[in-house]
Amino acid sequence: MTSAHSTCVHSDAPTDVVAASDVAPTHTLVLPGVHCAGCIRTVEDVLSRQPGIRSARVNLTRRRAAVFGVPGADPGPWIRALATAGIEAHEATRDGDGIDNGKALVLPLGVAGFAMMNVMLLSVAVWSGASDSTRDLLHWISAAIALPATVYAAQPFFRHAWSALSVGRLNIDVPISLAIMLASAMSLYEVANGGEHAWFDAALALTFFLLAGRALDQRMRRSARSAAADLAVIEPARAIRIEDGEKRSRPLGELRVGDTLWLAAGTRVPVDAVLDAGGVEVDRSAITGESDSRALSRGDTLTAGDIVLTGPVTATATAVGEDTTLRRMARLVATAENSRSRYSGLADQAAAIYTPTVHIVAAAAFLGWLLATGDVRVALNVAIATLIITCPCALGLAVPAVAVVATSRLYRNGLLVKSETALERLAGIDTVVFDKTGTLTRRILNVPPDMPDADRRVLRTLADCSDHPLSRTLLDALAATPAADVSNVREIAGSGVEGMWNGTSARFGRGDWVGGSSGTAFAVGGRTYEISGTEELLPDARKAIDVLKANGLEVCLLTGDAGARARQVAARLGVDRFWSEVSPEGKSSTIQDLRADGCSVLMVGDGLNDTAALAAADASIAPGSALDASRNAADVVIVSGRLPGVAEAISTARLAKRRILQNFGVAAVYNAIAVPLAVAGIATPLMAAIAMSTSSLVVILNAGRGRRQ
């Protein structure tokens, strides 16, 4: 561990944080069919070769491609190039386009399951001794059930396989589709010629279990949203510009550097600007994480996203459009989100090896038996048995089955998992970085001990009528104090709350407005009280950090607050390493530096200023009280608000990864036993269906063990 230190990071992002791609995407393409790391590589390779495109990044979770090219260019040729490569694409028209929520798989899954159960019952009757005309009748009934069910239910695999084959490439749906079609076609041929064997049950079992795995995988994507898109909500749509001495409302896109803006109290600053005259207090907590408001004077900088607490004031725009601080933050987040979407999960890595192996083994079995017997029918039967037995049912279920059990367990304990690869990334974490303000601490106001009971009652009433978060903290201290009868109570944005009590004015709010010094004050009946504020740790903050350290994790603190306050909080929490006075860009840069040093970083934060860092980390967690942008940038949201949930998420993720690896082991052992039997021609259709179903059930049962641990 290093000794405590503070680092002041300037607001301008270093060039290595936002590289050449640090511009807004000129186009966004929806990719409804992408579902693996291979699809990402294909899309990005195709788009990067198109005229007018500098680069492209695919976000697998949102199934979109951010294209950086010539503004206003026609995306039609790019879409046609992707179609030639077997990738469906179209231009984005609304935020929800292209996100498959898995509902489309529910009906095919039900059809495949219902048909599979009925056909297996008929198959058992055949293998129990039915022969001749009875066997043929049962086979024809099986065909009548299985063929239409298979044609309908297996459509997702057929479409993806055809897209790949039409452009000369393979994906995992190719052997799946081949096995289903060959099993169905060969079964129909056998039935028509009075054969003893039929593969209808195996084809349906294969379809059912693979659809189940894909539906479970889609379930993990449903809650994913882009935090970069949420930052647009923070930015106001219009601003007041002074033109020829008159105030006029203009769309944000019409603002230019040098324009004079009029900013009322309570409004959010639309662009970066310099204060023209007078003084103003701003709330910059969303941008810098500072817990106190900041007093600015003439010539000081206003940042896009600041909230004006006092006003009105005028300011001169210094950066507009894509050059503002808020837009730079959005680009940082988008870059980090797209980088994270490149993460290749365990299932993708296994599938990259598995797919060509299946084809090679099945082809070798066909050629071997053809050369040995000279009978195409026998060789084809063996090849079909090999394809069915080796088809990746267990592999397809290994990750999503465990993920659903683990995420359900976390949800019951107050944690919402939002990313399909979050558990795998959380399992490898060795460093946890916490934001301070709002995540580990909260700012509270203290009632002066010498305040008379009558005045305390008035303060209780005014605090109860205020929506300001700091005002609410007084209610805990005044919980036993009855409220006074205060009339004409009103809250003045940026100033405080005032009312009338016993014929005198009562005010609670900003010090200079109340009549005190800077800070917070309360005045009633000619008496003025300074209301001091302190920062306190959240009740379970120290416990959460102690548990993480006990599990061998390094814990750090990263904050926009001043060095003295950060050092004090770090000491109380037992944290040896911290950074203070860090800008949002600096936070993202710090996370990237830690990762470059070989650390696997988990970021925990709640503010807008943490959004880029949350997206840049290997994994991220946000409290349920966090801003929308922060919650959507995070992989996990602590809905319950319990900080020990951070350690719980990591421990559950590690357990889930062990279960996933065990499931891969089950799939490997299964194939080691079943493949030789299939290649040797020993496996019958029913044996193939039972073996494949058994391996899938073992995987599901092993995943279910996580519910009890």
Side-chain angles (χ1 to χ4, degrees), residues 7 17 42 67 85 112 121 125 150 154 175 188 204 232 245 263 296 379 400 416 424 453 469 537 564 566 626 673:
T7 305
V17 174
T42 300
V67 179
L121 287 174
T150 302
L188 186 60
L204 283 168
L263 304 170
L296 303 179
L416 176 63
E424 294 178 36
D453 288 342
L537 297 179
I673 297 172

Side-chain angles (χ1 to χ4, degrees), residues 358-556:
V358 169
H359 290 92
I360 292 170
V361 171
F366 175 80
L367 291 175
W369 276 91
L370 182 62
L371 292 174
T373 65
D375 190 331
V376 175
R377 181 177 174 183
V378 172
L380 194 57
N381 270 323
V382 172
I384 292 171
T386 303
L387 276 174
I388 289 175
I389 281 182
T390 58
C391 258
C393 283
L395 181 64
L397 287 166
V399 174
V402 173
V404 168
V405 170
T407 53
S408 298
R409 174 185 172 184
L410 288 173
Y411 183 75
R412 290 194 302 271
N413 292 321
L415 292 97
L416 176 63
V417 180
K418 301 170 57 269
S419 169
E420 71 276 6
T421 60
L423 293 173
E424 294 178 36
R425 288 182 278 116
L426 279 169
I429 293 299
D430 55 39
T431 304
V432 182
V433 178
F434 281 93
D435 167 55
K436 179 179 71 67
T437 308
T439 304
L440 295 172
T441 67
R442 65 173 181 173
R443 187 78 170 159
I444 63 170
L445 298 178
N446 302 310
V447 180
D450 58 345
M451 183 181 294
D453 288 342
D455 292 352
R456 291 170 68 94
R457 293 175 62 188
V458 176
L459 178 59
R460 160 66 190 273
T461 302
L462 295 180
D464 198 26
C465 294
S466 173
D467 290 328
H468 196 286
L470 279 178
S471 299
R472 314 303 295 180
T473 66
L474 276 177
L475 297 179
D476 293 335
L478 296 170
T481 302
D485 184 13
V486 182
S487 60
N488 299 325
V489 178
R490 61 173 184 152
E491 184 168 19
I492 300 174
S495 297
V497 184
E498 67 177 359
M500 297 297 295
W501 177 71
N502 288 346
T504 63
S505 174
R507 281 187 170 186
F508 165 55
R510 204 179 68 249
D512 57 354
W513 177 71
V514 170
S517 61
S518 61
T520 304
F522 166 57
V524 60
R527 299 175 295 278
T528 301
Y529 303 92
E530 299 293 335
I531 307 295
S532 62
T534 58
E535 189 171 33
E536 67 172 14
L537 297 179
L538 294 177
D540 51 7
R542 181 61 190 255
K543 176 184 176 182
I545 288 178
D546 287 345
V547 171
L548 291 169
K549 293 170 69 175
N551 289 332
L553 297 163
E554 181 180 8
V555 180
C556 309

Side-chain angles (χ1 to χ4, degrees), residues 605-622:
D606 74 319
L608 181 63
N609 61 313
D610 301 315
T611 308
L614 289 166
D618 293 281
S620 53
I621 295 178

Side-chain angles (χ1 to χ4, degrees), residues 66-285:
V67 179
F68 301 84
V70 178
D74 179 13
W78 310 337
I79 294 172
R80 288 191 290 274
L82 287 172
T84 302
I87 302 293
E88 178 188 356
H90 58 88
E91 193 170 9
T93 57
R94 62 183 187 276
D95 189 60
D97 282 349
I99 301 176
D100 184 358
N101 61 12
K103 292 181 180 178
L105 298 176
V106 173
L107 187 56
L109 178 64
V111 169
F114 179 78
M116 178 187 70
M117 290 186 292
N118 285 277
V119 172
M120 278 193 167
L121 287 174
L122 296 171
S123 297
V124 170
V126 171
W127 287 96
S128 297
S131 60
D132 301 330
S133 60
T134 303
R135 180 194 62 210
D136 293 343
L137 176 61
L138 293 175
H139 276 164
W140 279 113
I141 295 173
S142 297
I145 297 173
L147 290 176
T150 302
V151 169
Y152 172 75
Q155 285 299 311
F157 309 118
F158 295 159
R159 286 195 299 268
H160 292 145
W162 176 251
S163 296
L165 290 174
S166 62
V167 293
R169 63 184 181 91
L170 296 176
N171 61 20
I172 200 166
D173 290 324
V174 172
I176 292 171
S177 300
L178 188 61
I180 293 172
M181 290 189 296
L182 284 177
S184 299
M186 196 64 187
S187 297
L188 186 60
Y189 176 83
E190 289 289 324
V191 171
N193 289 276
E196 297 182 4
H197 303 292
W199 303 89
F200 296 122
D201 45 7
L204 283 168
L206 175 62
T207 304
F208 173 76
F209 283 108
L210 287 168
L211 281 172
R214 197 149 295 181
L216 289 172
D217 180 68
Q218 291 298 335
R219 175 179 168 181
M220 294 296 299
R221 304 178 188 268
R222 293 182 188 178
S223 60
R225 282 179 59 190
S226 170
D230 283 306
L231 290 177
V233 177
I234 303 298
E235 186 178 67
R238 304 182 70 86
I240 303 297
R241 183 169 65 186
I242 298 179
E243 302 174 3
D244 298 326
E246 296 185 0
K247 296 188 287 291
R248 299 185 183 278
S249 177
R250 297 298 185 193
L252 212 58
E254 294 185 10
L255 298 186
R256 299 291 181 267
V257 173
D259 286 349
T260 300
L261 308 178
W262 185 82
L263 304 170
T267 61
R268 194 177 290 274
V269 179
V271 297
D272 293 352
V274 171
L275 192 62
D276 287 342
V280 66
E281 282 194 35
V282 297
D283 177 358
R284 191 165 284 176
S285 59

